[in-house]
Amino acid sequence: METIAVVDYNLGNLHSVSKAVEHVAPDARVLVTDDHAQIAQADRVVFPGQGAARDCMKAISDHHVEAAVREAAEVKPFLGICMGLQVLMEYSDENGGTPLLDLFPGQVRHFARGRVDDNGVPLKIPHMGWSQVNQAIDHPMWQGIDDQSRFYFVHSYYIVPDDKSIVAATTDYIDPFACAIASDNLFAVQFHPEKSADAGLQLLKNFVNWKP
């Protein structure tokens, strides 16, 4: 039986994520855990997160999961969700600059304020709701998902990776931004697949079946 670890550092939407993974992987063992050994022994790792970057990094430190996350991101199928994408960058603009995990060169920026849509209506921050995801590359994680399918977002910051070749999808809100990255065994998304109906469940199913 395959084991899927959902990393628990008390800042992710753990219940919804784990239940969604269980739904698409009924034959797998899904563990919500902060235990380094269990994460290391798992066949696949899901790294969710939400909230502020500084709080997220503190929680990662307090739960002693940084080393386990780094190892998993290097050697096994790894899915980052929301803040689980952002903290893979070097640093965030939040609070004048918050160091992150630095797995990929790049930064996390706050959406520009004062912008309006085509009808002159102010664009709200955080970006919250359903938005089209424009697939930038052909990838097994997009299998069975139409380009420009809508996914559910809740965030005020977005990633700006230095290496544009890792961008797997973009979304337009205020400005176009990278909403998914892919590199070898790692895939990470800004949106919440566990809240994104059929498209989100398909992405999670693709992750369960992905053999990078």
Side-chain angles (χ1 to χ4, degrees), residues 136-194:
I137 60 171
D138 185 19
H139 194 281
M141 288 289 286
W142 297 130
Q143 183 176 347
I145 301 172
D146 291 337
D147 190 16
Q148 299 186 340
S149 292
R150 291 184 178 273
F151 289 81
Y152 188 78
F153 290 80
V154 183
H155 63 123
S156 298
Y157 290 79
Y158 63 97
I159 66 164
V160 184
D162 289 354
D163 182 2
K164 305 307 180 187
S165 71
I166 68 171
V167 176
T170 62
T171 292
D172 293 336
Y173 191 78
I174 299 181
D175 291 307
F177 66 91
C179 67
I181 62 171
S183 178
D184 299 324
N185 57 292
L186 180 147
F187 198 89
V189 297
Q190 182 63 65
F191 52 80
H192 288 270
E194 77 281 5

Side-chain angles (χ1 to χ4, degrees), residues 76-94:
K76 61 186 64 182
F78 181 100
L79 176 63
I81 298 174
C82 195
M83 186 57 72
L85 162 67
Q86 292 186 12
V87 297
L88 303 179
M89 299 293 113
E90 289 178 274
Y91 70 93
S92 172
D93 287 347
E94 181 188 316

